[in-house]
C-alpha cells in the first residue's frame, strides 16, 4: 500500500468512525461482503483495519492478518488490533468459543460409525479420526503385504 500522506488518510478516515460505548471505533463507510470496512486509497480499495494498523502501529506483510481482540470487524481502534497468521486467528476464535468447525457437529464418520469420544481421536494435525475406520484401514494394509 502507498501511504504517501498518512495524515491526509487519517483525516479522511476519522469522520467515518463512530466511537462506541464499548470502546470500539466502528467504521461507518462502505463494507465488503464479509463485513469488513473498505477505504479507497488511489484507485484501490483497502480494508480499513489494515490501513489503520499500518499507519498507526506498523507495516503489515501481505501474508499477515490484522486480527481483532474485540471481534468487531468494523473496529479500527489500534489497541483492539493485533498481527497474526490464519492459525493465530482460528485459535483466537476457538479460545473465545466463536464459530464452529463444520465437522464439530457431525454425529457419524463418513463410513457411518458413531462419532463418540470413545470412538474418536485427534491426530497431530488437529483433525479428528474414527478409530474403527483407522483399524479397518490398518487391517487392509497388512493384508496387502
Amino acid at each position: 500500500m502507498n501511504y504517501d500522506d498518512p495524515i491526509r488518510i487519517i483525516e479522511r478516515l476519522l469522520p467515518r468512525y463512530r466511537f462506541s460505548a464499548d470502546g470500539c471505533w466502528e467504521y461507518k463507510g462502505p463494507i465488503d461482503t464479509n463485513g469488513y470496512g473498505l477505504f479507497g486509497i488511489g484507485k484501490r480499495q483497502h480494508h480499513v483495519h489494515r490501513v489503520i494498523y499500518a499507519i498507526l502501529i506498523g507495516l503489515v506483510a501481505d501474508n499477515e492478518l490484522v486480527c481483532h481482540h474485540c471481534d468487531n470487524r468494523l473496529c479500527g481502534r489500534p489497541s483492539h488490533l493485533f498481527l497474526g497468521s490464519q492459525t493465530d486467528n482460528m485459535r483466537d476464535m476457538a479460545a473465545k468459543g466463536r464459530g464452529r468447525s463444520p465437522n464439530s457437529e457431525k454425529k457419524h464418520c463418513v463410513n457411518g460409525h458413531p462419532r463418540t469420544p470413545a470412538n474418536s481421536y485427534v491426530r497431530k494435525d488437529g483433525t479428528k479420526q474414527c478409530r474403527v475406520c483407522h483399524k479397518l484401514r490398518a487391517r487392509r494394509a497388512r493384508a496387502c503385504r
Side-chain angles (χ1 to χ4, degrees):
M1 276 185 262
N2 184 7
Y3 300 122
D4 290 334
D5 192 359
I7 293 172
R8 175 76 178 115
I9 292 171
I10 295 297
E11 286 174 347
R12 286 178 51 217
L13 270 173
L14 279 178
R16 298 179 187 199
Y17 274 98
R18 180 179 72 83
F19 302 96
S20 65
D22 63 1
C24 288
W25 298 1
E26 291 186 354
Y27 184 68
K28 295 300 173 192
I31 60 172
D32 70 6
T33 56
N34 294 316
Y36 291 97
L38 290 174
F39 184 73
I41 301 173
K43 294 182 180 182
R44 290 193 56 214
Q45 294 288 318
H46 300 275
H47 286 115
V48 176
H49 61 291
R50 289 181 69 89
V51 172
I52 292 288
Y53 191 96
I55 290 174
L56 299 179
I57 299 173
L59 292 179
V60 182
D62 288 338
N63 64 341
E64 291 180 303
L65 299 179
V66 176
C67 308
H68 294 85
H69 288 296
C70 59
D71 299 331
N72 181 350
R73 293 177 180 186
L74 295 174
C75 183
R77 185 173 185 166
S79 62
H80 290 194
L81 304 175
F82 67 98
L83 278 185
S85 65
Q86 178 68 18
T87 302
D88 297 332
N89 202 25
M90 293 299 103
R91 283 185 183 140
D92 181 57
M93 179 185 75
K96 293 174 181 172
R98 291 184 302 103
R100 285 198 167 133
S101 162
N103 292 329
S104 66
E105 299 198 13
K106 291 183 179 175
K107 303 292 183 211
H108 296 86
C109 76
V110 295
N111 294 315
H113 305 117
R115 184 172 275 188
T116 63
N119 188 36
S120 302
Y121 69 96
V122 179
R123 292 176 28 175
K124 289 179 186 175
D125 65 2
T127 59
K128 286 185 179 178
Q129 294 292 310
C130 171
R131 289 184 190 278
V132 174
C133 290
H134 178 77
K135 287 178 184 175
L136 291 172
R137 278 192 306 273
R139 281 187 196 146
R140 282 194 300 271
R142 282 192 302 268
C144 290
R145 290 183 194 162

